[in-house]
Amino acid sequence: MTEKKTTWGVVWSPDFGRYASGQLDASQVRCVLCEQAPCACPPIGSPEYWALTQARHRKGRA
């Protein structure tokens, strides 16, 4: 997955530009966290969600 980062370390979906230009529906934008479209993340705050969040942050540093 190709990532674009700002100086703040924000990770954007690689589909964001096409969504913003009207080429994709929101349901087609891949989630930055689970990398699925539509998003398939576990419920926010669940142990699985926090594990996915931590794994994603580690992946972004590699």
Side-chain angles (χ1 to χ4, degrees), residues 13-34:
S13 170
D15 302 325
F16 183 77
R18 293 188 324 161
Y19 167 72
S21 68
Q23 297 174 10
L24 288 179
D25 180 75
S27 66
Q28 298 173 299
V29 177
R30 285 174 283 174
C31 173
V32 172
L33 199 54
C34 71

Side-chain angles (χ1 to χ4, degrees), residues 3 8 16 23-24 29 33 37 40 42-43 49 53-55 59 61:
E3 299 174 357
W8 304 295
F16 183 77
Q23 297 174 10
L24 288 179
V29 177
L33 199 54
Y49 175 84
T53 301
Q54 290 176 346
K59 180 179 177 182
R61 291 185 189 149

Side-chain angles (χ1 to χ4, degrees), residues 31-34 39-58:
C31 173
V32 172
L33 199 54
C34 71
C39 176
C41 284
I44 294 174
S46 68
E48 296 83 7
Y49 175 84
W50 294 118
L52 183 59
T53 301
Q54 290 176 346
R56 185 68 182 99
H57 281 280
R58 283 191 298 273

